[in-house]
Amino acid sequence: MSRLTLSERVVIECGIYERLPLNEIAKRIDKSPGTVSREIRTNRTPVSGEHYCGKDCRFASSCKTKSLCGKEKCYKHCVVCREFDCREICSRYNNKPCAILSRPPYVCNTCSQRRKCKGDRAYYIAQQADAAAKRRYSDSRKKIHTYGDDLISLDKLVTPLILKGQPLTHIWSEHGEEIGVSQRTLYRYIDKGVLSIRNIDLRRKLGYKPRKKKKEVSEGFLNLEFRKKRTYIDYLKYMEKHPGTPVVQMDTVKGCREQGKRLLTLHFCDTNMMLILLMRDGKADTVVEQFDMLTGLLGLEDFRHVFPVILTDNGSEFKHTREMETTENGKRRTKVFYCDPQASWQKPKIEKNHEYIRYVLPKGKSFNPYTQEDMILLANHINSTRRESLGCRSPYEATNDEAVLRLMYLMGLHPIPADEVNLSRNLLRK
């Protein structure tokens, strides 16, 4: 049976004031008399009466009894005595509620003595009854509904995968039927501490650092030669003229120092797949070398197809625009655009995907001990992580472009079984 609505509760309140029997009220809202009776008794609003001297006895305000404690020379009324509680020793003590509350309509809405009555009362008010019912329903949904062996099995399934660094979205996408609860419920179980893992094991639960105040950008920087006709506004205009063109976002990831190896990342926005290329340094010439390597690997036509438009930031490693856009023979291979300074939100997908890299290679860790084979392994685990934005598929599963699939094959990229995905520091422990 569906729950009562506010409009139905208003009909019940009006029926009470009209002094209608419960069966007549039930007919008006097409419910059983028992449903109306339970509704009134469950969601009525109690009002505390005047308890004389804090005593809930019905006779407290007029009681003149003395010496209940056995002291013959005590002239104090027992109801005001602080040494003994008269309710525990008085035979006349009566705290039974008014008889009106124990028979239909179970409330004092229409009682003629309600303004004079000093006892505990109850009223049925539709809005308050509706709020109380919704609050009680909400509280019931917050309780843990998995117990015993089911909870133990859930813990054994989820905890090892979380400790591997797998996001809950990925785990739930792969084992949703086995888990038996929604993602939100799973988060709530962890928050309540019913599983072996805690909030601290969920990276995003730790929160973000406060954003730093943006620095003013000089006009000179905005007018640099490599940015001309390649600004974010130019990018938007180009995409408006060429709708549906695939976009690749590009960035670099630093290790512990300005010197040493860096990562060049290329993120395919339509599938969330990311390439990770290990560079010997962060110089602009080294970035151009990676473009030349990919062009040689794919061929010029396939490179144009896979990387038609690249959106990146204003780092000095990307200042050789002409060399990135054209081959050594002067043939165009891509179109490069630059975000506004200090506006990383203009390429949010690659910034978000960098979180997965930091799960395995935290900030402050040098990349010098690693090889390109290590980066291929890291990319395989990241690209095998299922995403809610892709319909609970992984970037590998969402990729169907033949040229991109050929690039994956040539670079040694391949899917990892869902339960073997490892996004913890143990993946590349060196």
Side-chain angles (χ1 to χ4, degrees):
M1 184 180 294
S2 59
R3 298 188 298 274
L4 294 177
T5 63
L6 176 58
S7 59
E8 291 172 333
R9 291 187 169 100
V10 170
V11 173
I12 293 175
E13 182 182 1
C14 293
I16 292 173
Y17 281 112
E18 292 177 20
R19 301 177 185 272
L20 297 176
L22 295 187
N23 58 355
E24 184 63 30
I25 298 175
K27 288 180 181 180
R28 290 188 174 186
I29 60 174
D30 195 23
K31 302 291 183 182
S32 68
T35 299
V36 176
S37 175
R38 286 191 299 273
E39 164 64 21
I40 296 174
R41 286 178 291 168
T42 303
N43 295 323
R44 60 190 176 182
T45 302
V47 178
S48 181
E50 298 179 12
H51 295 163
Y52 184 73
C53 293
K55 307 297 173 59
D56 58 353
C57 180
R58 297 178 63 184
F59 309 114
S61 59
S62 58
C63 184
K64 306 296 182 183
T65 305
K66 301 177 182 179
S67 302
L68 286 175
C69 60
K71 297 181 181 179
E72 296 181 359
K73 295 183 179 181
C74 182
Y75 299 102
K76 186 186 298 185
H77 292 161
C78 293
V79 71
V80 299
C81 180
R82 295 186 179 181
E83 186 176 355
F84 296 95
D85 189 345
C86 63
R87 293 174 296 180
E88 297 179 358
I89 56 180
C90 181
S91 60
R92 296 179 62 241
Y93 171 62
N94 185 349
N95 69 337
K96 291 182 179 180
C98 178
I100 291 178
L101 300 179
S102 60
R103 62 174 184 263
Y106 308 109
V107 286
C108 307
N109 293 43
T110 57
C111 179
S112 59
Q113 302 296 321
R114 65 182 182 278
R115 299 187 183 278
K116 299 179 182 179
C117 180
K118 296 182 180 181
D120 292 340
R121 301 178 299 283
Y123 297 91
Y124 186 83
I125 304 170
Q127 288 185 337
Q128 294 183 12
D130 189 65
K134 289 180 178 178
R135 185 167 54 251
R136 185 170 55 255
Y137 177 73
S138 176
D139 291 341
S140 69
R141 300 287 292 178
K142 293 178 181 179
K143 294 180 181 178
I144 302 299
H145 296 285
T146 307
Y147 303 97
D149 293 339
D150 292 339
L151 187 60
I152 294 174
S153 300
L154 177 63
D155 193 18
K156 288 182 178 179
L157 172 63
V158 173
T159 298
L161 301 179
I162 288 291
L163 296 179
K164 280 185 177 181
Q166 296 186 12
L168 273 187
T169 301
H170 173 81
I171 297 171
W172 190 86
S173 299
E174 179 65 21
H175 298 282
E177 295 183 1
E178 300 172 61
I179 291 173
V181 296
S182 66
Q183 268 189 80
R184 187 73 209 103
T185 300
L186 194 54
Y187 273 111
R188 190 166 63 249
Y189 282 9
I190 296 173
D191 185 59
K192 288 182 175 293
V194 300
L195 301 180
S196 299
I197 50 178
R198 299 292 183 267
N199 281 334
I200 197 171
D201 297 309
L202 304 176
R203 297 182 179 92
R204 296 183 64 85
K205 275 281 189 177
L206 302 179
Y208 294 105
K209 294 181 180 179
R211 294 182 182 272
K212 295 181 180 179
K213 186 177 180 181
K214 292 184 178 180
K215 298 179 181 179
E216 294 185 2
V217 181
S218 65
E219 290 294 330
F221 181 85
L222 296 176
N223 294 325
L224 288 176
E225 186 66 28
F226 72 89
R227 284 180 48 85
K228 289 183 178 179
K229 297 183 180 180
R230 296 181 178 88
T231 65
Y232 190 71
I233 294 177
D234 295 323
Y235 162 74
L236 296 178
K237 291 180 179 178
Y238 182 87
M239 295 305 297
E240 186 176 351
K241 292 181 180 179
H242 304 84
T245 302
V247 178
V248 177
Q249 296 178 358
M250 179 171 66
D251 204 350
T252 57
V253 180
K254 299 178 183 179
C256 61
R257 302 182 185 88
E258 291 295 327
Q259 303 297 326
K261 295 181 180 180
R262 285 196 194 181
L263 305 182
L264 177 68
T265 55
L266 295 160
H267 182 273
F268 298 87
C269 295
D270 54 348
T271 61
N272 278 348
M273 194 184 80
M274 183 168 64
L275 302 182
I276 304 176
L277 304 174
L278 186 65
M279 304 188 299
R280 64 178 181 274
D281 54 42
K283 296 180 180 179
D285 290 335
T286 310
V287 173
V288 175
E289 289 178 6
Q290 305 304 312
F291 275 62
D292 293 338
M293 181 273 293
L294 290 173
T295 304
L297 199 63
L298 282 171
L300 183 57
E301 290 301 321
D302 277 352
F303 187 96
R304 288 172 179 168
H305 175 77
V306 175
F307 302 100
V309 175
I310 296 178
L311 179 65
T312 187
D313 57 28
N314 299 274
S316 60
E317 64 269 31
F318 301 128
K319 66 182 180 181
H320 288 177
T321 313
R322 184 180 62 82
E323 289 80 356
M324 289 190 293
E325 288 187 337
T326 59
T327 64
E328 293 181 354
N329 299 328
K331 296 181 178 180
R332 179 170 293 279
R333 56 183 168 189
T334 187
K335 189 77 174 174
V336 177
F337 294 96
Y338 296 92
C339 297
D340 295 332
Q342 302 174 15
S344 58
W345 53 269
Q346 292 176 349
K347 52 180 182 64
K349 293 191 175 183
I350 192 169
E351 298 291 346
K352 170 72 174 103
N353 233 37
H354 281 176
E355 289 187 9
Y356 294 109
I357 296 177
R358 290 305 186 184
Y359 293 165
V360 180
L361 301 173
K363 290 183 178 180
K365 188 173 182 62
S366 173
F367 298 154
N368 289 338
Y370 299 103
T371 64
Q372 180 60 34
E373 287 70 23
D374 295 325
M375 297 305 108
I376 293 295
L377 176 63
L378 175 58
N380 284 336
H381 282 262
I382 292 175
N383 293 327
S384 297
T385 304
R386 297 191 173 184
R387 318 292 170 84
E388 194 171 3
S389 60
L390 297 176
C392 295
R393 295 180 299 165
S394 70
Y396 281 151
E397 293 171 337
T399 301
N400 53 23
D401 187 282
E402 291 185 2
V404 178
L405 291 173
R406 190 166 76 88
L407 174 62
M408 290 169 49
Y409 172 76
L410 293 173
M411 293 189 65
L413 296 170
H414 59 83
I416 301 293
D419 286 347
E420 295 180 16
V421 171
N422 188 345
L423 295 179
S424 70
R425 300 183 187 183
N426 294 327
L427 179 64
L428 297 178
R429 181 71 72 178
K430 289 192 177 182

